[in-house]
Amino acid sequence: MQYRRLGTSGLQLSALSFGAWVTFGNQIGRSEARNLIAAAWDNGVNFFDNAEVYAQGRAEEVMGDVIGDLRLPRDGYCVSSKVFFGAVDAPNPLQRGLSRKHVHDACHAALKRLRVDYLDLYYCHRPDLDTPVGETVQAMDTLIRQGKVLYWGTSEWSGAQITEAVAFARANHLHAPSMEQPQYNLLHRTRVEQEYAPLYADAGLGTTIWSPLASGLLTGKYNDGISADSRLATSSLEWLQAAVLGDPAEDRLGKVRRFTALAAELGESPAQLAIAWCLRNPNVSSVILGASRVSQLQENLRALELLARVDEAAWKQVEAAFA
Ligand code: NDP
């Protein structure tokens, strides 16, 4: 494993981390979840990502249960939660968003579900246009001063929104956001590479990026259709299928077919190639992997070995496949 600093903070996260979205509390059972966390840990993963909304809190319960069961040392791993969407069906206005109340309540609920005394990383899962940004910054700062959160950050905030939060924190001597959690993969690059560019140096921002395989699309598993046991076949996720396969004009599948043919020519796994491509960006602190089975996770964790093998000419060909 390789370890990278979270922006300019002193926190060294594993370059490959592991997240619970779709799978924990939903697609897979507890024993597979346990095997996945154990395999990740055995391979040097030290950051496990979660959110209040994942399976309406059940993903955090399963993760807390499994980490407790595995007796992982609390000083050896990081765990996160995210606040915004709520953890119940049809949340009322107090049960969602980034008000001081919901940030406070959601943090305490996540601590219980994850069975920890503090969250290492706590994210605002989306911006909340109904709450002044200063209220949210103050709420996060309070949790940090209380020792309940160590680092706070944002997820899918615009560059301007993050800049406003940093400016408010600095002006009021409060803890500023340390990280963003954006989508980043070969099909989705602009925000991380362009919009956030000034924030890496100016605000010391780190990034923990999600969907490095675009929900599995970049493995090539959807090149010839959607198999029944895959994420895009999940009945409650029709919206995701549309988002991942994209607009016909974008021809995402055509690009992925070119990419997987190139991977075959290079003799590399498309999944490893796509993950290693994310790791080439020095502003990526950690690539959060998702997996529904241990064999996928083991394949993906070997992306680090590929980084040393693939030369610049091949990376140019990879990017050209998506042009
Ligand atoms: P990926 O894009 O890597 O997709 C993971 C899925 O792809 C797996 O569950 C599996 O789905 C399939 N897959 C993975 N590896 C392979 C392989 N080697 N061969 C074949 N299929 C494979 O990541 P996620 O979208 O899961 O995102 C990772 C994490 O990021 C999440 O768990 C979550 O913690 C975080 N996240 C954060 C978001 C945010 O808004 N902040 C949003 C989304 C995710 P299957 O087997 O079911 O087909």
Side-chain angles (χ1 to χ4, degrees), residues 142-153:
T142 300
L143 290 171
I144 289 179
R145 287 175 203 268
Q146 291 173 342
K148 291 174 180 163
V149 168
L150 301 186
Y151 299 87
W152 81 273

Side-chain angles (χ1 to χ4, degrees), residues 19 21 27 49 126 155 211 213 215 221 231 292 296 300:
W21 182 49
Q27 189 184 5
D49 185 62
R126 293 293 180 268
S155 179
S211 283
L213 297 175
S215 275
K221 72 193 294 175
R231 179 182 291 186
S292 65
Q296 292 175 352
N300 300 350

